[in-house]
Amino acid sequence: MTLPVPGRLRDRNARAAFVCSAFATLITALSPVGSSAAVAATPGLARSGSATTAAPLKIMPLGDSITMGIGSATMSSYRIDLQERLKAAGLAVDMVGSQQTGAPATADLDNEGHSGWTIAKIAGSVDGWLATYQPDAVLLMAGTNDLRTAAGAVGATSRLAALITQIKADAPTTEIFVAKITGTRNGGRTGQQKRTAAYNANVPGIVASAGFRVHLVDQSTVRDLDIRDGLHPNDFGYSKMSWNWYLAMRNIYNTGGPAWPARNNPYLATRAHRCLLVDADPGPAWMAFFDCRWWYLNTVTTIVNGKKTSARTWQTTRDAVATPTVTVAAHYAYPIFKGTRSTRPR
């Protein structure tokens, strides 16, 4: 190609400078390398202080009813809170999936959370989901429904390992975040907490053997008061799940630039609004009776064998009905008070 050189550039050095500048302009115009288009094609990559638009990181939340959001007052699960955390960290995100649950309606509600689904059932559909949505990251938490019965728990860890292998084969460049699953409240009435603990003990080994692009996320600390019924987290439990996903993703995606924010750690909270099912049996009526109130993390001192022992304990305020009685010998007992008294943790 011949570049026209203006007649006024008779000086050899001036002419050389013009030619170099023209070639640089031409190469930049023809090549996407180094252009905003090239940066935009890189998921989650943003150039601070420039007009470059980052291509969003496509995230597929994958699992059962916990991923769907059952237990959350808005059915948002951990997903909305996680989006807000990632955006505050400067990461453009796009949740993907065939399901839409949560609130508000203007939020990105896409997910692959399917109520009641076992590992095997997820494996039966995941190929199509991955082909359709081509996620850059998969947040996988599965196994809770397998562990509902002792029979269903048999082989669950092997099925999890096979599902991870399947996802890697379908999407070899996708980062897969695999969770130790959340626990139960009151131990689960069918012994599910024991099966959950045994299952979770095997997850780190499964993840380690899966190799590159597979990462462990510990969600097992979400249990007891973090669980609304017998199995599903309440919104405070879901905030803990969001935090745990966030920390795991920070290890992978916060490789340069400013450190991601570490504020609003729910594990450091000293008060929390929790909704709990009065009867924690995860049966058909699991939505029936809620007790929603503020809980406070207090220091409680007890005396054991003559020694004072202090511990941090979650407590709440309740209204208690007191009916003390007076017994008259050889006659009968009758109440002298009946009413409501407020009890507040100290």
Side-chain angles (χ1 to χ4, degrees), residues 141-162:
M141 194 178 88
T144 298
N145 290 308
D146 296 72
L147 306 181
R148 295 291 295 269
T149 65
V154 176
T157 52
S158 296
R159 293 190 291 275
L160 176 66

Side-chain angles (χ1 to χ4, degrees), residues 241-252:
M241 291 187 69
S242 169
W243 175 254
N244 294 332
W245 291 121
Y246 176 76
L247 291 184
M249 297 183 75
R250 184 176 68 176
N251 290 337
I252 304 304

Side-chain angles (χ1 to χ4, degrees), residues 27-38:
I27 290 171
T28 301
L30 296 177
S31 173
V33 177
S35 68
S36 60

